[in-house]
Amino acid sequence: MLIALIAIYAAVSVNALFLIWLERKISGRIQRRQGPMLCGPKMMAQKSMWLGGWFATACDATKLIFKEDIIPSKVDRLGFILAPIVVMLAAIAVYVPIPWSATSYHQTEQVTFAFADLNVGLLYIVAVPSLTVFSILTAGWSSNNKYSMLGGFRSVVQMLSYEIPMVFALMGPIILAGSLSLGDIVKAQTQGLFGIPFLGWFIIPSVIGAAVYFICAIAESNRPPFDMPESEQELGTGFNTEYSGMRFAMFYLAEFSNAFVVSSIFTAVFLGGWSIPGITPPPELNLGFCILPYFDLLVGLVVFSIKAYSVLLILMWIRWTFVRVRPDHLMNFGWKFLLPLSIANVIVCTVIAAVQQIYYGGLS
Amino acid sequence: MPFSMDIYAWDSFPIDTLLFWCFAAVMLISGLCVVTVKRVFHAGIAMIVCFVCAAGIYALLGCPFMAALQLLVYVGAIATMLLFAVMLTDKMMEPRPNTTFFQPFMGLFASVLLFGLLWLTVSSSKFGFAGWANSTAASSSAIDITSLSTTNIGLRLLTPYAVPFELISVIILATLIAAIALARKEDRSPADSGTPADAPASPAEPASTPAKE
Amino acid sequence: MYQLELHSVLSVAALLFCIGLYGVLTRRNSIAMLMGLELMFNAVNINLVAFAHFLPHLDGIILAMFGLAVAAAESAIGIAIILSIYRNFRHIDTDGINELKG
Amino acid sequence: MSTFPPNPDLVTEEFELKMGPHHPSTHGVLQLSLTLDGERVVACRPNVGFLHRSIEKIMEHRTYAQGVPLADRVDYCSAMTSSLAYVMAVEKLLDLTIPPRAEYLRVIMSELNRIASHLLAYGTFTLDLGGTTPFLFGFRDREKVLDLFEETCGARLLYNYMRIGGVACDIKPGFLDRMIAFLDYWEPLLSSEYEAIIDENPIFYNRTKGVGVLSQADALRYGVCGPNLRACGLNNDIRKIEPYSVYPELEFDVPIRTEGDTFARYRIRMEELRQSARILRQCAEKLPKGEYLARQPYELKVPAGETYVRIESSRGDLGCYLVSDGSERPYRCKFRTPSFSHCSVFSHLFRDCLFSDIVAMSASFDIVLPETDR
Amino acid sequence: MNRDEFIKAANQAMPDLHAKADTANPDAIVVNSADLHGLCLWMRDDPAAQLTYFEFVTAQDWPDRDEIVLVYSLYSHPLGHRLMVKTALPRRDPQIETVSDIWEGANWSEREVYDLFGVTFSRHPDLRRIMMFDGWEGYPLRKDYTHPNLIHRPE
């Protein structure tokens, strides 16, 4: 039990470090410069731009860890110290139900390989970010300066008002798959839609839901173009203005692991997790695929990570090309545009599920 | 590393009872903090810790659906609202003494008395469920009401309990409208509502209660 | 002895209920009073879920969910009232608010 | 104009926020003391003077020739044009005619400086709105212009290139070809990269269209000039209405827009970049041979008199009012700078808008603090 | 309209003005400080002048003639001409009426002249020091201004 927890924490932080490096390389590429090249072995840097400087984030992390983190005197100590811890906790807790892959080596039936495939997976994923909402609020309020308070309020308002369209957008796949657990959703996507084997992915029946979820996910994880709360130009990095050293590193890592979680949920729910359309066998048929023990586990893992990282690249690409949205446009867009759209998506998905149920004998 | 959690050998060591008592202990301690801590903001944080532990207990008691709901509704909505209220009303930097001399003992006495009463009833009663459970299991409804899985809750919620489900939505709508009506300026109310409500400070501190700040 | 018994859960919930009651009775700041109230609601929900688990019967959870919704609605109204009181009296000490003119 | 009048229903309290001298988006050391009502700005009072080096006082103790580097520092973002104003004022007092090659070199240098300053404005404007990529595009190409300056006058920001009677030194042999090469490389980029990433972006549209609208009457009342006044629909380009040096021989047109909002000001600057490139190409062909400096004695004595010369710097009409009493030191030298009047518009304009609009509007005015405080 | 037509039109519009041409500055007229405000109103509203654009106001300190000369510079976009108005004020306590009610642009320029020369503008909405911090004493741009830590360059 304990080993699994440590494994999650290690995987998350290493992944976050890698993401920061990837982000800086991508942003470099978009801005026609090379991104970090200096830290890291020289000869790799010569070989190609993509290999250079992969040691950069490690240097940043160690610098941040050893930097003396000052707690300003007029600060509410409990809230100030607690906020980054809770943010990190929530960022890691969201990894639990994600279905990385599946294997049918042991049992007769496919078992999803996840840290713990809860049968309330999606609801858990929607519930845990409410911890980040609380911690951003406490961070903004307890660092007792006007800018961070403004930043804290803005981010809470943004996250709360984008949670509702997100839940409705996720409702579509739940109806189609008939269960909350992510493993079942991915399994439901392996069969085809209306009998055609290739249209299995849920992005096809609930396209609107996928788009709405993608936008809400960007807003939830405070990434540009919705990063009004910590916009340097106005609020001086918003709620984490007073933080430095290790605490700031925690906020930073949490933001990046949030980005990865969001893209992996998007792959699991909309892009058919570990399933390759047409090739991955439906759950009951388990024999033909595993030549070596756990081979289908590895294949699933590779397919899942390819999809997750492609969604992440789109996230990063958006980050470096868009201008920041103004808070009141944000609110109008969220309430007046996304919410009705996501409710419409729920109706569309129920119709498709009903048709599926009557004519083709149901998905799961 | 065992590739899936649920085949881990549970029964050899009573992990869930241990976990339950940890959650219960943390919850009670944070509950105590909520009632005793000087600054209301810290009380808010302690309350959130208490809610999270309650969510843990629900998960242990075999219904993760309730745990996720609790996290979503209590921690996400109610606690955030309370913290907002604290921020709007509390001056951060000057903690005020919050209880007069005699008040805590009265409250303490009342609650200890209540706890004694409850504890007696709880420990003495013998809950003979065995007979009762299977008698109702064969009841008319097709849903197997003994297994607490989410699908059963959903089905049960909408077939026999459809009316209360709709009633709840009416209640929440009413609260929404009431909250908005309260937040607006009262000067809209008819003129004879006594002192104009939006005078920033009430004209004179009521003489009867000496200012305690 | 290791198996979880119902009465242990019930006693924990009862203790939480009493702590909430103590909070409501002694706290001067009305927001802290509201927090005590929320604790009591939580205790009630734990009881319901405990019965649902040990009985085992589904209605416990459904009642707990309804309880949850009502508690949320109640605290929303409570906060709205407190804020309008704060706007009139500039402080929210429960002792200070005792005139009915409003 | 998307204004946000106070909402009569809600009881709110205003709080004071100092967008202090040390703030990432005030383009230098300007303090805006805002009274905010939540997100909405109720009133704004700009405080300046944090960068006051009293250049005019120092000038009174320097000879005329020593004044040129000081004039550079009045506006370090476009140093060529600020020293040009001072030098032309002195020449007008001396009524000295300078060799045509020097005139053309001056025009080339001030137009290159206008391109560099507008690229800076484009970069900081998009950066303040949140787009980091355009910022890097702008600064990458600005480096190339600064290389051209470094090659001729050895400095990248404060060039000390103008002299009374001409320019400091002649341009290197290959300078014109390198300049034309830069223009060929850079001009297509304007539409393919700069505007492609920003202009059609709906978020950018919402953030800038109809934000910070300044009517022409208000602009004139507050003394706004340069691109910001041309955005309100009035042609006040001094190179056209009061042509000085060789501008009559060069043909270029002046972009005018009528909306007067943040987007219009941004569009005007992008068009001006294209016009400057056009002027530079014409100057490259017409550059005459010959002397580049009519040498003046070091202890230059200027006959007593007063004059006011106005030129079109990148931020607006930069004027130099020079009073001399016959000695070798100016008696009084006053710089009329555009950013000073633009700053005074802020108190009128930043009312009933959102906190994040302030950043967009102040960036669109492209104010530079050394000019405001002198 | 060049300077002489301005003088003719101004004298004709306001009989007791008797504006004179300035010797040093080719396009400036000299007016005594009392009726400057009336002249400015006329300049802005008169269809022939239409000097709607206020460029700057500055001062020259002449200690030997014991006077501070204020210089107003106005420009007209529609008609494309410029006029500068000069008035002399005593050095001890220079006082003049503000023109910021005619052009708002004058507000900050007058504050700068007040800050650096000590000329008080009556009825100015917000006469504070603009360049120096409020506690500063003395007026830096006056010729006889000295400050304890002001070091003069050796001649």
Side-chain angles (χ1 to χ4, degrees), chain A residues 30-33 146-147 150 154 225 228 232-235 320-329, chain D residues 4 16 18-19 23-25 39 127-129 132-133 136 193 201 206-207 354-357 359:
Chain A
I30 291 174
Q31 289 151 6
R32 286 170 66 171
R33 57 181 169 82
K146 287 198 178 87
Y147 284 119
L150 257 179
R154 270 188 187 176
M228 191 53 74
E232 303 76 22
Q233 281 71 21
E234 281 137 40
L235 301 179
W320 294 104
T321 43
F322 275 102
V323 178
R324 192 170 295 124
V325 181
R326 208 172 59 175
D328 65 321
H329 293 306
Chain D
F4 296 83
E16 180 75 27
K18 285 269 193 298
M19 212 163 147
H23 189 272
S25 73
E39 241 347 283
L127 183 69
D128 281 356
L129 289 178
T132 38
T133 322
L136 283 153
E193 243 181 37
N201 186 326
N206 289 340
R207 290 269 330 248
L354 280 179
F355 183 63
S356 50
D357 283 345
V359 175

Side-chain angles (χ1 to χ4, degrees), chain B residues 17 34-35 37 40 51 58 61 65 69 74 85 91 98 129 132 145 156 161 175 178 183 186 197 209 213, chain C residues 2 15 18 23 27-29 31 38 42 45 53 55 57-59 62 65 68 73 77 86-88 93 98:
Chain B
T17 348
V34 167
V35 269
V37 158
V40 189
F51 288 160
Y58 294 153
L61 286 178
F65 182 73
L69 212 60
Y74 265 104
K91 304 291 177 297
N98 68 356
F129 293 128
W132 187 75
I145 51 169
R156 183 113 177 119
Y161 285 93
T175 0
E186 274 86 12
T209 53
E213 268 77 25
Chain C
Y2 294 131
L15 189 57
C18 299
R27 282 296 241 186
R28 292 253 337 269
N29 184 335
I31 300 241
E38 285 306 316
N42 247 1
N45 273 349
H53 175 67
L55 210 49
H57 193 284
L58 219 51
D59 289 0
I62 290 163
M65 278 201 298
L68 201 75
I77 287 290
Y86 179 79
R87 195 182 308 133
N88 294 351
D93 286 347
N98 47 26

Side-chain angles (χ1 to χ4, degrees), chain B residues 16-116:
Chain B
D16 55 352
T17 348
L18 181 76
L19 259 182
F20 167 76
W21 284 110
C22 306
F23 276 130
V26 172
M27 188 171 69
L28 294 177
I29 294 160
S30 56
L32 271 174
C33 291
V34 167
V35 269
T36 51
V37 158
K38 276 282 172 296
R39 285 236 289 272
V40 189
F41 192 70
H42 294 182
I45 296 176
M47 189 182 74
I48 287 179
V49 171
C50 174
F51 288 160
V52 171
C53 296
I57 289 178
Y58 294 153
L60 277 171
L61 286 178
C63 60
F65 182 73
M66 192 58 199
L69 212 60
Q70 153 101 351
L71 257 181
L72 194 62
V73 172
Y74 265 104
V75 175
I78 298 178
T80 323
M81 225 171 14
L82 275 169
L83 282 182
F84 259 112
V86 164
M87 287 186 206
L88 287 178
T89 51
D90 179 22
K91 304 291 177 297
M92 155 95 96
M93 271 305 129
E94 6 98 14
R96 285 189 300 244
N98 68 356
T99 49
T100 53
F101 177 68
F102 60 89
Q103 214 168 358
F105 297 108
M106 292 287 287
L108 197 64
F109 175 69
S111 45
V112 162
L113 193 68
L114 178 66
F115 176 66

